[in-house]
Amino acid sequence: MSKTPQAGRSRLKRWLRAAALAAGGLLLAALVLDRLFPLPLPAPDTGSTVVLARDGTPLRAFADSDGVWRYPTTAARVSPLYRQALLAYEDRWFYRHPGVNPYALLRGAVQGALHGHVVSGGSTLTMQVARIIEPIPHSVGGKFRQMFRALQLEAHLDKTQILDLYLNHAPFGGTIEGVEAASWAYLGKSAGRLSRAEAALLAVLPQAPSRLRPDRHPEAARAARDKVLRRLRDEGVWTSGQVRDAAIEPVVARSLRAPLTAALLAERLHRQRPRARRIVTTIDANLQRAAEDHVASYLARLPPRSSVAVLAVENATLEARIYIGTGEFADPERAGHVDMVRAPRSPGSTLKPFLYGLALDDGLVTSESLLVDAPQDFGGYHPGNFDEAFSGPVSVSQALQRSLNVPAVDVLDRVGPNRFVARLASGGVDLQLPEGARPNLSIILGGTAAKLEDLVGGYSAFANGGVAGAPRYTPEQPMRPRRLLSPGGAWIIRDILASNPAGVEGAPLEGSIDRHAAVAWKTGTSYGYRDAWAIGVTDRWTIGVWIGRPDGTPSPGQYGAVTALPLLFQLTDMLPARGGVHAPRPANVRAIDICWPLGEPAASTDASLCRQRRTAWSLDGALPPTFAERDPGAWMSGRIELRVDMKGRRLSAGCHAARERRLTLARWPTLATSWLDAADRTASALPALAPGCAPDSLAVAVPIRISGLREGSLLRQAPNSTDPLRLSVRALGGQGTVQWLLDGRLQGSTRGEGAITLTLARPGRHALTALSPDGAWASVAFAVAGPPEEGVRW
């Protein structure tokens, strides 16, 4: 008897040793099986990709190689209601079992034997994941294989990772996998914002995705959903009242369609990050959809094959909220696959604000400096205006607001094309010149190429104190601020662009400028009507619009002011106005009265020399004089000191009179003379030389006279003639190239006293002007008679 306890202990030790050996053997077998049959887990960097708006709304999804749509998510992102419904219905012991629930398996087998069909499958959520990640046959052997995989999953992953696999790969009908894709596809919302009824529906749908698809079988889907609701009530997960309210909701599902918003931006980002499964952008989903609707309706008024690009960024962050790269995605007629936000196109006149801003920073001009809009020769380059008319003396503000070409070329010639291009590049606006070409004067009129996104980034400087930057499309994209203009220069240019009067060219909508007074805007049109631009800046937003044909063919009659500007205003009205910061006027910007034609301060200019008084914005107190004549042969100082005799006749050097006096004249630029009124011409005219005085160098212009047309003539069509009225004229005394203008519009040029033939198709009063490069000019007023019943009255 004394040996019995010792024998018992020996048997226990042998049993424990055998159990340990068996456990070790099982563990070794499990390790060997695990190595021989590794888990076929989905690779984290493969599969479909979804590009999201800033609030998580899918913009566009890219299916995987099998055509499956899947929006990556996690258990933390989906609604708690969905997690409750899923676990209570599918596996309420999920967080307690090791992957296999023997009780659930036994219960399923007994219920199946009693009822003759499957009542409860007995599969845990982990076992369902095992079947999702690997095709397993529905057989006894398949069930054991499924259990083995479930145990593997539990050994390698934690419960959250297993749940995430289910949430991302569960089948929901068609090519939809994962609860997030299903929620957007069927319900149009994120799985993070589900109601109880919606949560119950999506919880049961993977049980029979084809039979329960709510878009095809809403009644079957409702019955299955209500079964889940009753289960949740019976298990005390949700109250009877909550379930009763949820059961009232109808089952309403959208037809399956993949999201396709900001399609070209999504494609751009997907190409940049092909291995990313979830790409969050800065796009505002609501603003993007509204803008796309505006563009879709606006396309109807445009010529065939036209496309539209729109980019809107918030000034404070440069984050893009609207990105439309094409008028109609994938439309072959409109080249809908071409992203015009980043396509290099001729910028037309959209570079002019940068030029005048740089000229302000350099102290070359004030906002009201006198420029001349008249035919000029810039080393063989003869720019004209969009409407082929000229305006004579204009201010910097007028030249920019009316987008006059000759003054802009004049200013660029003084700033320097190379320096201008370099300054733009340093500010992020990269101009693309033809291969082998160097910067020249034509770039300010569109003789280069720029991208809409670069222009929008550059224009943001007018709201950000002169600091530009590249638009940002993802939150992690860094801000790269670049100084483009001084704060004062940027403020003055924005003030000019925001003060565009409704009567100027480029304001096609009656009252539209007054209504959009807070918008600083600029339009542009490329040569041949190939590109129409409008770019606007408010306190909060910078928005750019491009309209044209992606293949570069012309669209006659379509230009910035009538084509792109109305759409810009529509979109600006749509954008939220609150939230921006209005930049105060910098301390170094002051309002100072100046005098034309000299450009000097009015306070220190004699009243007789101040022909026009203007209030200018001056930067750092700079008050530069009016530009000197660019033609050395015609150069003359603006302020001229003369000696005259008692009759006011000019005395040249070496010529004297008994009683002399000093006379000071304020001279207008020579090419502006023909646009002056009689009083201004008289006030700045050189007095005639006194008799006997030798000619001096002041009268450099040789007088010219128009031959072939007399002042006050009334011209009539030849009797019984249907041909247009034609007129041949000459500039007698003309030297070099003579420019001919009819009512301010350039008609052509002649050499010396050569003749020009004009076609006069419009009845009414007209003025014909001949203008010589040295400033000499002649003008004749005449009239063309209309039909006999109309006539012309002087």
Side-chain angles (χ1 to χ4, degrees):
M1 295 295 294
S2 60
K3 294 182 179 180
T4 300
Q6 184 175 359
R9 286 194 295 270
S10 297
R11 283 195 300 272
L12 179 59
K13 289 180 179 179
R14 287 195 299 271
W15 184 85
L16 290 174
R17 190 180 300 113
L21 289 173
L26 288 174
L27 180 59
L28 179 61
L31 291 174
V32 171
L33 289 173
D34 186 62
R35 296 296 296 271
L36 291 175
F37 305 100
L39 270 172
L41 293 175
D45 58 350
T46 60
S48 58
T49 296
V50 61
V51 180
L52 307 168
R54 63 197 295 242
D55 64 352
T57 302
L59 299 176
R60 184 179 179 185
F62 297 87
D64 65 12
S65 57
D66 297 324
V68 172
W69 303 93
R70 186 185 307 113
Y71 302 170
T73 190
T74 64
R77 291 196 186 109
V78 301
S79 167
L81 298 175
Y82 175 75
R83 294 198 303 270
Q84 292 172 358
L86 175 67
L87 296 179
Y89 185 72
E90 291 288 355
D91 189 356
R92 58 191 176 124
W93 302 103
F94 174 70
Y95 287 103
R96 301 180 186 179
H97 61 64
V100 177
N101 188 340
Y103 169 75
L105 288 172
L106 180 61
R107 182 193 60 196
V110 171
Q111 290 177 339
L114 292 175
H115 295 87
H117 59 85
V118 175
V119 176
S120 176
S123 294
T124 63
L125 202 64
T126 309
M127 293 173 66
Q128 294 183 46
V129 171
R131 193 181 294 278
I132 288 172
I133 65 175
E134 181 183 29
I136 296 176
H138 292 272
S139 62
V140 176
K143 182 61 72 174
F144 281 106
R145 182 176 171 183
Q146 185 182 9
M147 289 189 289
F148 168 69
R149 289 301 193 196
L151 294 171
Q152 275 186 298
L153 284 167
E154 295 281 352
H156 286 275
L157 305 176
D158 61 32
K159 291 291 187 179
T160 300
Q161 291 172 312
I162 295 171
L163 183 57
D164 286 349
L165 280 174
Y166 182 88
L167 296 177
N168 283 285
H169 295 274
F172 281 86
T175 57
I176 303 299
E177 286 189 2
V179 66
E180 186 71 11
S183 185
W184 282 109
Y186 293 120
L187 306 174
K189 62 167 60 176
S190 169
R193 299 187 294 111
L194 298 176
S195 67
R196 283 184 167 81
E198 293 164 340
L201 174 64
L202 294 183
V204 75
L205 187 52
Q207 289 282 333
S210 298
R211 182 170 54 85
L212 300 179
R213 276 182 56 167
D215 60 324
R216 294 182 178 177
H217 310 289
E219 291 305 319
R222 180 178 187 129
R225 179 205 69 180
D226 292 348
K227 179 181 177 182
V228 176
L229 291 174
R230 289 192 296 271
R231 174 82 62 84
L232 292 167
R233 179 198 60 197
D234 295 344
E235 293 182 358
V237 178
W238 294 343
T239 67
S240 297
Q242 290 171 336
V243 169
R244 185 170 54 253
D245 292 343
I248 296 174
E249 282 190 32
V251 172
V252 179
R254 312 186 311 170
S255 58
L256 290 184
R257 61 181 184 273
L260 206 61
T261 306
L264 289 177
L265 173 62
E267 184 174 300
R268 173 179 181 175
L269 296 176
H270 181 46
R271 288 182 177 177
Q272 291 174 358
R273 301 163 58 185
R275 302 177 74 86
R277 303 280 68 86
R278 192 172 185 272
I279 302 174
V280 179
T281 71
T282 61
I283 296 300
D284 184 297
N286 293 329
L287 292 179
Q288 178 74 24
R289 283 193 292 264
E292 290 186 357
D293 289 343
H294 274 288
V295 168
S297 61
Y298 200 78
L299 275 175
R301 62 171 286 184
L302 300 178
R305 308 197 314 279
S306 295
S307 188
V308 178
V310 176
L311 180 63
V313 303
E314 290 208 55
N315 296 324
T317 63
L318 292 182
E319 291 185 345
R321 302 297 184 223
I322 298 173
Y323 186 115
I324 300 175
T326 180
E328 191 168 342
F329 178 67
D331 181 356
E333 184 177 288
R334 302 183 191 276
H337 61 287
V338 179
D339 187 352
M340 300 308 298
V341 167
R342 54 178 179 159
R345 304 291 292 205
S346 168
S349 296
T350 59
L351 302 181
K352 290 175 181 174
F354 303 128
L355 171 64
Y356 288 112
L358 181 57
L360 282 164
D361 284 346
D362 288 348
L364 293 176
V365 296
T366 67
S367 66
E368 293 300 310
S369 289
L370 171 60
L371 304 174
V372 180
D373 180 37
Q376 297 190 47
D377 182 353
F378 298 89
Y381 180 46
H382 302 86
N385 287 320
F386 181 76
D387 61 357
E388 299 181 346
F390 295 91
S391 302
V394 294
S395 68
V396 165
S397 296
Q398 292 171 323
L400 178 54
Q401 290 169 345
R402 297 166 63 180
S403 200
L404 301 176
N405 289 342
V406 176
V409 173
D410 187 11
V411 173
L412 179 60
D413 190 38
R414 299 171 194 271
V415 168
N418 286 305
R419 181 165 173 270
F420 178 60
V421 170
R423 281 291 296 271
L424 284 182
S426 68
V429 183
D430 291 314
L431 303 183
Q432 301 182 23
L433 298 170
E435 187 175 355
R438 297 177 60 83
N440 55 60
L441 296 179
S442 71
I443 60 175
I444 199 59
L445 307 185
T448 181
K451 300 176 182 178
L452 176 60
E453 61 184 354
D454 288 350
L455 291 174
V456 168
Y459 268 71
S460 69
F462 297 122
N464 288 332
V467 177
R472 301 168 61 215
Y473 304 124
T474 61
E476 62 269 17
Q477 185 176 342
M479 289 190 68
R480 294 189 174 90
R482 298 181 176 185
R483 171 65 63 185
L484 182 57
L485 297 170
S486 72
W491 188 92
I492 293 173
I493 294 300
R494 180 178 173 186
D495 181 73
I496 293 172
L497 295 178
S499 306
N500 236 336
V504 306
E505 199 145 352
L509 307 177
E510 186 66 30
S512 64
I513 307 308
D514 295 334
R515 187 162 53 89
H516 298 88
V519 184
W521 57 271
K522 182 72 184 73
T523 60
T525 307
S526 67
Y527 176 77
Y529 300 97
R530 289 173 169 82
D531 306 275
W533 303 82
I535 305 179
V537 180
T538 69
D539 288 341
R540 181 173 177 181
W541 303 96
T542 297
I543 179 168
V545 174
W546 170 90
I547 296 178
R549 289 172 171 161
D551 61 6
T553 55
S555 297
Q558 300 296 315
Y559 54 95
V562 301
T563 305
L565 187 61
L567 179 58
L568 173 71
F569 286 161
Q570 288 181 23
L571 296 173
T572 303
D573 286 342
M574 180 195 77
L575 293 172
R578 298 181 63 182
V581 177
H582 183 69
R585 175 163 58 91
N588 64 339
V589 175
R590 291 191 301 141
I592 301 178
D593 286 350
I594 64 170
C595 288
W596 279 13
L598 298 178
E600 297 174 353
S604 58
T605 301
D606 187 89
S608 64
L609 305 181
C610 192
R611 300 302 305 172
Q612 291 188 31
R613 189 184 184 107
R614 291 178 174 249
T615 301
W617 291 121
S618 170
L619 185 60
D620 294 320
L623 290 174
T626 300
F627 286 154
E629 305 281 0
R630 62 183 323 102
D631 182 358
W635 186 88
M636 186 181 299
S637 172
R639 182 190 295 268
I640 300 179
E641 301 288 341
L642 301 173
R643 291 181 301 114
V644 295
D645 61 16
M646 289 294 295
K647 294 184 177 181
R649 294 173 297 190
R650 187 169 86 250
L651 300 172
S652 59
C655 189
H656 296 278
R659 298 181 64 181
E660 301 178 2
R661 62 185 176 90
R662 307 292 296 184
L663 175 66
T664 302
L665 294 180
R667 295 276 291 176
W668 292 79
T670 310
L671 291 175
T673 308
S674 64
W675 279 271
L676 301 178
D677 59 28
D680 283 337
R681 282 201 299 268
T682 300
S684 64
L686 283 172
L689 275 171
C693 288
D696 54 23
S697 62
L698 295 180
V700 294
V702 177
I704 59 176
R705 182 171 60 86
I706 295 176
S707 172
L709 182 64
R710 295 178 59 185
E711 177 75 17
S713 298
L714 177 61
L715 308 181
R716 297 182 183 276
Q717 185 73 30
N720 301 320
S721 174
T722 59
D723 294 333
L725 184 62
R726 298 182 185 277
L727 176 69
S728 181
V729 291
R730 298 174 184 271
L732 300 182
Q735 297 182 357
T737 301
V738 177
Q739 307 279 357
W740 292 88
L741 291 83
L742 181 64
D743 301 326
R745 284 178 167 78
L746 184 64
Q747 305 297 305
S749 60
T750 56
R751 293 288 298 176
E753 297 185 353
I756 185 173
T757 300
L758 305 175
T759 300
L760 306 172
R762 184 168 57 87
R765 299 180 182 182
H766 300 281
L768 178 65
T769 302
L771 187 61
S772 177
D774 60 6
W777 63 279
S779 185
V780 174
F782 67 99
V784 175
E789 64 273 14
E790 295 182 10
V792 172
R793 305 176 101 187
W794 284 94

